[in-house]
Structure formats: structure tokens, C-alpha cells
Amino acid sequence: MTVRRIESSLRLPFDDCGTAKVPGRRLIAMPGEFDAVLDTVRSFVEKEVQPLEAPFLAGGFESVRPRLDELRVGVKQMGLWVPHLPADAGGPGLSLVEFARVSEELGRTPLGHYAFNAQAPDVGNMELLLKHGDEVQRETWLRPLVDGTIRSCFSMTEPGRAGSNPAWLATTAVKDGVDYVINGDKWFTTAAQGAAFTIVMAVTNPESQDRYRKASMIVVPTGTSGFELVRNTSVMGERGDGWASHAEVAFNGCRVPITNRIGPEGAGFALAQERLGPGRVHHCMRWIGICERAIEIMSRHAIDRELAPGKPLASRQVVQHWIADSRAEVNASRLMVMDAAEKIEREGAHAARTEISTIKFFVADTLGRVLDRALQTLGGLGMTDYTPIAFWYRHERAARIYDGADEVHRDLVARAELAKYAR
Ligand SMILES: Cc1cc2nc3c(=O)[nH]c(=O)nc-3n(C[C@H](O)[C@H](O)[C@H](O)COP(=O)(O)OP(=O)(O)OC[C@H]3O[C@@H](n4cnc5c(N)ncnc54)[C@H](O)[C@@H]3O)c2cc1C
């Protein structure tokens, strides 16, 4: 990978332990130096975060949160806290391409992104508030998010309307004096349990002739009267808790000041698209991290597991081919994601929308195949929670649905391709 050198005078010093310690400064982008950053992240993830997998899988997110909070202190000292944010917002100032590589390393364990305060949905909300929040909104909600003292969530999808058509929402926000009064039901609000606020997509301009200009994004503190966390939904048998929860939430005459709206009225759809563009790169690189870990787990198991004395599983051609196919597909996926990330940086998310849609369904497919091969290689062990493979196999099936189902993205790519040849 070639990484652009941006501010050559800002070098990343390392302490004796090899950890970076310059919070808020631009990390150097020379390939060698950036590789050292990646090594630091990988080593931290492997030594400190991976040991939390077993207690997390057995006892849920809240059971490991105290230890994660301790690790977060260490990450801050490393200078890699909120690695997606620019230097003036408290991050290390990585480019999208660089953050994507960091995201891959964090993705090797289910809790990696959380340890670095780079977890969805907070990442998207931080980026949204940073770019489009006013000063008061940034101070009230962005600052504590960046500090890691609060969490947030994002409420767009509704049980009664197809989430694949985000311009068609039933939730309304009606002006009453200096307030909006919000009514409607949402579900799949990830991480709602314990979140300090949600950003809700609600129709504020039903009269607009442009269906993409009807909705706005509004911050709703979860303590607001009329906001209700109805229940956590079990997803693929997972009863997630805390950050790992997915909730049904209701807005019943929920009143918040108009000043809680992010950006102009009717800009909700445009902001959602902007939020999801780089977000899909983040997801794809997290999935590639999962694939790399899956290849490692399946390869180690194939070497260690003997089918008969002196006959390791790895001697079987079918297993070798699963490993080889996985390697080829993961390498291809990474190159595609890097290409999309570079285009976003160069030309913006809108110009890169075809590339973004292409990686979204392609990498989600790769992820599913690689996890399936890893699980098959492990046999019965693959069905247990003694490795993270079964968790990912359940949890990451959603990759083909959230942030746009496969079919929606394939439609967009096909339309772009066909348009090239239309008479
Ligand atoms: C684990 C998880 C976490 C999520 N987190 C959040 C969150 O934090 N906040 C939030 O707001 N939402 C979240 N979602 C919701 C997610 O974004 C929606 O599920 C997604 O947009 C699809 O919408 P839907 O479920 O209503 O499916 P529908 O829109 O009803 O679609 C159903 C199926 O129809 C097919 N389909 C749809 N459109 C087309 C088309 N044009 N052509 C052909 N086939 C099509 C697809 O196969 C699709 O799977 C989450 C979902 C999951 C599973």
C-alpha cells in the first residue's frame, strides 16, 4: 500500500515499549513508519483485547466493560485514541486509508474498535457532529463522545417501513414553539442500552416535493420524557447488552429543542448518505480483520488437528483450497476497499458511491464465505464459543443486510454499469 506523506515534520515518537504517545498530532504517513503504528495496534489487540473474548462471549459486554475501560486509558496514552478523527478533534489525524488499515487490525477481535473508541455507531455520530454540528452541539455531545465518557446510537430503521427505502419514513417531528415533538417507532437502534443520546431520522418537511428532502436528523437525549427503550431485540440468538445491544425504541410526544437538529431542515437523507459512505469503508475493513483472524484460526487448527496419527487436517487438499481461496478473496477485497477509500479521499463520498456499493456487497460475501470455511475446518469446535468464529458466523450475517442490503447495492452498481452503454 502506498500512503501519502502529509506533514513530514510531525514524526511519531515511540517510547521504550514501542507505543506511540503523541495524542492529537498527525501520524507520519511514510510506509515504514505507518507499518510500525499497525504493529503497535496489532500487538496491543493481541495481548490486551483478545483475552477478553472468552468472558465477553460467556458473560456479555457489561461483564468486560470495567476491564475495557482500563484498556482505554492505555490506548489514550498510546496516542491512538479515536483513530478516525483529525488531530484538532482529538484523534491522531489519520487519513481514511490509514484508518482503514487500523480498522482491519482492530477488527481481529470483537472488542477491538471499542477499546480504541472507534466503534459503530459512535464513529458515524462523531463524524456527523464534527462536520455538521454547531458549536453548542459539539460541546454538549461530541466532546464527551470523543472523551469516551458517553455512548450514542442512531435511529433510522422502522419496523413498519422498508429500511431499504430510507426516504420513506413514518416517524415525524412537528414544530411546536421552540421545540420539535417527535412521534414514531424505530428498531435495530444498535447500542441504545446505556446510550446518552440517539440521533433520530424524522420527517420534518412532509410537504417537500423532493422525497429526499423530507427528513431531518435530530439529537434526542435518552433521558427525554417520551423517549422509551421498549426492549432489546434478540439478533441471531444473541441477547446483546449495553454497546452490543439492538433495541426497539419509541418516541411518544418526545419534545426536544429545535436547536437539537443537525444541519438544515430536510437535510437528513443527505447527511445519512454522507455518514454511511466512509462508514462502509470502516465496516469492510473490520470484516477483513475478521477474515484475517479466521484464516489464522483455521490454519492453526488444520496444522494441529490430526485426523489420524501423523495425518494433520492441513494435509487434506480440500482444507488447503479453503485456505488458498480465502487468502485470494481477502487480498482482493482489501485492494478494492483501499481503492474506494482513496477515491473518497480524492473526490468525496458521492463521487465514490459506485465503488462504495461494490465493496459493501463484495466484502460482505467474502466475509460469509471465509467464516463458513473456518467453521467447517474447526468441526464441532467451530460451533462452540471457545473461538470467536461461531459468534462472528451469527453476528456478521447481518453484514449483508445493514447499511444497505446486498440487493440495493448490486442494483446501484448494475445501474452505473448499464448507464455506460445505454444509447
Ligand atoms: C445487526 C443490525 C444492526 C443494525 N443497526 C442499525 C442501527 O443502528 N440503526 C438503524 O437505523 N438501523 C440499523 N439496522 C437496520 C438496517 O439498516 C436495515 O435492516 C436495513 O437497512 C434493511 O432494511 P429492512 O430490515 O427494513 O429490510 P427491507 O427494506 O424490508 O428489505 C428486506 C429485503 O428485501 C430485499 N430488498 C430490499 N430492497 C431491494 C431491492 N431494491 N431489490 C431487490 N431486493 C431488495 C433485500 O434482500 C432485503 O434484505 C441494523 C440492522 C441489523 C441487522
Side-chain angles (χ1 to χ4, degrees):
M1 180 192 69
T2 52
V3 191
R4 284 175 301 119
R5 186 185 183 91
I6 299 182
E7 291 172 30
S8 56
S9 60
L10 292 179
R11 299 182 64 81
L12 175 70
F14 287 84
D15 66 19
D16 293 339
C17 313
T19 51
K21 50 171 190 179
V22 199
R25 296 179 69 186
R26 173 72 175 84
L27 291 182
I28 261 312
M30 284 297 281
E33 288 161 310
F34 187 61
D35 284 348
V37 173
L38 292 178
D39 286 347
T40 302
V41 175
R42 176 179 294 204
S43 144
F44 185 86
V45 164
E46 199 172 297
K47 288 195 192 114
E48 307 291 348
V49 192
Q50 275 177 214
L52 297 182
E53 280 171 0
F56 166 63
L57 294 176
F61 173 75
E62 289 298 332
S63 72
V64 292
R65 191 157 62 95
R67 177 64 189 135
L68 277 167
D69 286 344
E70 288 170 11
L71 292 183
R72 284 177 143 208
V73 175
V75 173
K76 281 182 180 168
Q77 287 163 357
M78 285 162 60
L80 286 164
W81 182 246
V82 285
H84 52 288
L85 289 183
D88 57 6
L94 299 176
S95 67
L96 178 61
V97 169
E98 290 164 334
F99 172 62
R101 293 300 305 273
V102 170
S103 188
E104 174 181 341
E105 297 303 332
L106 301 180
R108 292 174 65 90
T109 183
L111 299 166
H113 285 81
Y114 185 88
F116 283 65
N117 201 14
Q119 67 286 350
D122 295 303
V123 164
N125 290 347
M126 284 186 219
E127 287 173 348
L128 201 60
L129 286 163
L130 185 64
K131 274 183 112 171
H132 299 283
D134 61 30
E135 213 171 301
V136 176
Q137 292 170 345
R138 286 203 296 265
E139 194 56 33
T140 313
W141 296 302
L142 179 60
R143 183 185 286 273
L145 264 190
V146 172
D147 288 347
T149 51
I150 63 167
R151 284 193 296 98
S152 64
C153 51
F154 184 72
S155 306
M156 182 150 92
T157 310
E158 302 179 350
R161 295 273 167 98
S164 302
N165 182 0
W168 189 44
L169 297 170
T171 301
T172 55
V174 177
K175 275 184 181 157
D176 183 25
V178 294
D179 295 331
Y180 279 123
V181 179
I182 306 172
N183 281 290
D185 298 315
K186 300 282 183 181
W187 71 345
F188 286 104
T189 294
T190 298
Q193 189 179 38
F197 68 87
T198 188
I199 297 178
V200 64
M201 273 278 273
V203 175
T204 47
N205 301 69
E207 74 292 344
S208 172
Q209 295 302 306
D210 182 345
R211 69 194 191 100
Y212 296 115
R213 289 181 187 274
K214 288 179 188 283
S216 302
M217 283 193 187
I218 302 166
V219 177
V220 177
T222 51
T224 309
S225 168
F227 173 86
E228 187 191 352
L229 194 158
V230 179
R231 64 178 72 83
N232 280 346
T233 309
S234 157
V235 174
M236 289 295 258
E238 296 280 336
R239 279 226 169 265
D241 65 334
W243 167 68
S245 62
H246 305 281
E248 295 176 35
V249 299
F251 300 82
N252 295 312
C254 184
R255 187 177 280 272
V256 294
I258 291 173
T259 50
N260 280 22
R261 190 188 66 233
I262 302 174
E265 212 171 44
F269 182 81
L271 295 183
Q273 290 306 105
E274 191 179 312
R275 181 183 184 276
L276 289 172
R280 285 168 184 146
V281 169
H282 302 170
H283 275 310
C284 286
M285 289 307 287
R286 182 173 62 78
W287 300 337
I288 289 172
I290 294 173
C291 288
E292 287 291 351
R293 182 83 186 285
I295 293 174
E296 179 185 335
I297 290 172
M298 74 195 277
S299 300
R300 287 189 192 283
H301 183 78
I303 291 165
D304 291 344
R305 185 69 161 174
E306 289 187 329
L307 297 172
K311 289 261 180 260
L313 188 53
S315 65
R316 298 290 147 157
Q317 191 184 49
V318 66
V319 175
Q320 294 169 6
H321 285 190
W322 287 339
I323 291 169
D325 286 346
S326 300
R327 169 51 57 218
E329 290 165 24
V330 171
N331 286 3
S333 295
R334 184 185 293 102
L335 285 173
M336 282 173 71
V337 181
M338 287 297 136
D339 181 56
E342 279 178 0
K343 187 158 180 184
I344 293 174
E345 284 189 325
R346 246 186 359 256
E347 299 172 38
H350 187 69
R353 62 193 185 283
T354 310
E355 285 79 2
I356 292 169
S357 280
T358 310
I359 60 171
K360 173 63 178 56
F361 73 79
F362 188 87
V363 185
D365 269 0
T366 299
L367 174 65
R369 278 193 302 276
V370 172
L371 283 173
D372 189 65
R373 292 179 193 127
L375 196 150
Q376 192 69 14
T377 304
L378 295 179
L381 176 64
M383 303 295 293
T384 72
D385 283 335
Y386 294 135
T387 81
I389 297 295
F391 167 77
W392 278 323
Y393 188 84
R394 296 188 297 274
H395 194 255
E396 301 304 337
R397 176 60 180 81
R400 292 181 50 204
I401 294 173
Y402 59 66
D403 281 13
D406 280 0
E407 293 73 21
V408 175
H409 289 291
R410 282 191 163 95
D411 273 2
L412 189 147
V413 174
R415 273 202 307 275
E417 206 56 35
L418 288 167
K420 292 181 193 169
Y421 307 104
R423 290 199 200 127

